[in-house]
Amino acid sequence: MMKPKPIDTLSCLKQLTLIASFLALVFFSNCTPEKSNSDKEEWVALFDGTNYQDWTPKFTGYSLGENYNGSFVFKDSLLSVRYQEKDTFNGTFGHLFYKKKFSYYKLKATYRFVGEQMSGGPEWAIRNNGLMLHCQDPKTMGVDQDFPISLELQLLGGDGVHDRTNANLCTPGTNVIIKDSLIVDHCISSTSKTYPGDGWVTVEALVLGDSIMQHILDNKVVLEYGKPTIGGGMVEGYLDSAYEVGKPIKEGYISIQAETAPIDFKSIELLDLCGCTDKKAKNYKSYYVKSDNSECIY
C-alpha cells in the first residue's frame, strides 16, 4: 500500500485563486454591457407607423399645425395623403415637417402612389410628391407661402404611357451647382428609369451638408449636385427675413408634400452621419463623416 503524499496547501490555494478569478471574469463579462459595434449603422425611424406626433403640417393660407381638410392621414401604420371626392384644388399646397433638422445624413423612404389625383390639380402634379431636403424652419414660413425654401427629391410615378424619370430635383427658392455649373432651371431630370403603377418604391438620398447631395434608386446614383444656396425664385409668399439670396444651405428640416396626388409612405428612415468621432467614446461610429464631439459619451 502506497503512502499518500502530503497535501500541498499553497498549491491548492493558488489553483483555487485562479479558478475564482476566472469565474469572476466570466460573471462580470456577462453582466457588463458590451461596447456597441462602431461599424453597425444605427438608422432612426422618422416614421415607423406610430410616431405621428413627430410631424407637423403647414398648408398655404393656414397656420403651422393646421391639417387642412385632414389631407395628411395616419392610418393602418401608413403616413398618407388623401383627398375627398368633393374637394377641388384651390392652390392649397401642403407640407408635413419632421420635428428635427439634420445636416449630414442618409435618408431612405418607401412609398407608393394610389388612386386618382384630386379634382382641379395641375397636370404636372399627377403622381407627384417629394422629399423636401434642407427645408427652412417651418416657423419662418409665411402664412401664404406655397413651398418651403428647400431642395426637392421629386417622387414621380409613371402614367403607363410615357417615360418619366424619378428622383428628379426641383429647387423652390434655391440654386445648386452641377459639374461646376450654376443651375438656374427649376427642375432637373435624373437618369432613372420610369417607375409605373402603384407598386412600392424605395428611394434614398445622401446629404453631406452643403457639399454633395445624391439621389439614389436601386443602389444607383441617378442625380448628384452640391453647393446649394438661397435664390432662384420659384417660391411665393415667403417672408423677406427668410429669403437671404446667396446664403449657403448647410442643414435643414425634412418634409413631404400634399400637392393633389394621393400617396402612402410605409417607412421613412434616417442614418445620421454627424456625431462623436473620438474612438475612446462609447458612442463612436466609424461611418460618421462630420464630427460633433459634444455628443461623445465616455
Side-chain angles (χ1 to χ4, degrees):
M1 182 175 180
M2 296 182 62
K3 185 178 179 179
K5 294 181 179 180
I7 297 174
D8 187 345
T9 304
L10 182 60
S11 178
C12 286
L13 286 173
K14 287 182 177 179
Q15 291 183 32
L16 289 172
T17 301
L18 288 172
I19 292 171
S21 298
F22 175 76
L23 292 174
L25 179 63
V26 171
F27 176 81
F28 286 110
S29 295
N30 289 334
C31 292
T32 304
E34 293 184 4
K35 188 175 182 180
S36 61
N37 186 339
S38 63
D39 297 324
K40 184 179 180 181
E41 295 184 345
E42 295 185 355
W43 288 78
V44 175
L46 304 191
F47 177 74
D48 62 4
T50 62
N51 54 339
Y52 312 133
Q53 71 282 356
D54 293 339
W55 296 81
T56 302
K58 172 66 182 80
F59 282 83
T60 306
Y62 294 84
S63 300
L64 180 65
E66 186 169 348
N67 189 12
Y68 173 70
N69 272 4
S71 300
F72 289 113
V73 179
F74 302 102
K75 186 178 180 182
D76 300 328
S77 297
L78 298 174
L79 192 169
S80 305
V81 175
R82 291 290 187 272
Y83 299 99
Q84 302 174 17
E85 289 186 12
K86 63 181 180 180
D87 290 345
T88 298
F89 182 64
N90 59 1
T92 309
F93 292 107
H95 295 83
L96 188 68
F97 291 82
Y98 185 67
K99 65 181 181 180
K100 183 180 177 182
K101 62 182 177 180
F102 300 95
S103 181
Y104 286 70
Y105 59 91
K106 290 181 181 178
L107 183 67
K108 183 188 301 183
T110 299
Y111 70 92
R112 66 181 178 187
F113 288 103
V114 294
E116 299 298 324
Q117 183 186 24
M118 178 187 189
S119 174
E123 185 176 354
W124 54 261
I126 296 172
R127 292 193 173 185
N128 185 334
N129 200 285
L131 294 166
M132 315 299 281
L133 312 177
H134 276 3
C135 290
Q136 69 181 103
D137 187 333
K139 294 177 182 177
T140 67
M141 291 180 65
V143 172
D144 295 325
Q145 190 168 335
D146 50 1
F147 299 95
I149 298 169
S150 58
L151 300 153
E152 179 187 352
L153 192 170
Q154 190 181 46
L155 308 178
L156 292 177
D159 60 9
V161 178
H162 306 96
D163 291 336
R164 199 183 196 200
T165 56
N166 194 8
N168 302 326
L169 169 67
C170 291
T171 56
T174 55
N175 292 316
V176 300
I177 300 293
I178 297 180
K179 295 180 179 180
D180 298 323
S181 297
L182 176 67
I183 303 301
V184 296
D185 295 338
H186 175 50
C187 290
I188 300 96
S189 296
S190 75
T191 59
S192 88
K193 66 180 182 181
T194 301
Y195 286 76
D198 297 338
W200 290 105
V201 177
T202 297
V203 64
E204 300 177 67
L206 172 65
V207 180
L208 301 180
D210 67 341
S211 57
I212 297 174
M213 307 182 81
Q214 295 179 339
H215 298 178
I216 302 166
L217 283 164
D218 296 327
N219 296 316
K220 296 179 181 178
V221 176
V222 296
L223 185 61
E224 180 175 306
Y225 54 96
K227 301 298 181 184
T229 54
I230 295 177
M234 303 307 296
V235 60
E236 297 181 359
Y238 59 82
L239 301 178
D240 290 339
S241 57
Y243 196 76
E244 301 179 55
V245 175
K247 181 180 179 179
I249 305 174
K250 300 181 179 182
E251 62 181 8
Y253 292 81
I254 294 168
S255 71
I256 65 170
Q257 295 184 316
E259 51 181 16
T260 74
I263 193 172
D264 292 330
F265 286 89
K266 181 162 58 176
S267 64
I268 304 175
E269 302 174 279
L270 184 139
L271 179 68
D272 203 339
L273 299 178
C274 178
C276 177
T277 56
D278 184 349
K279 293 183 179 180
K280 297 178 182 178
K282 295 178 181 179
N283 58 335
Y284 161 75
K285 288 295 182 181
S286 61
Y287 56 79
Y288 287 147
V289 298
K290 177 70 173 178
S291 180
D292 182 3
N293 286 347
S294 67
E295 298 291 328
C296 291
I297 300 173
Y298 296 94

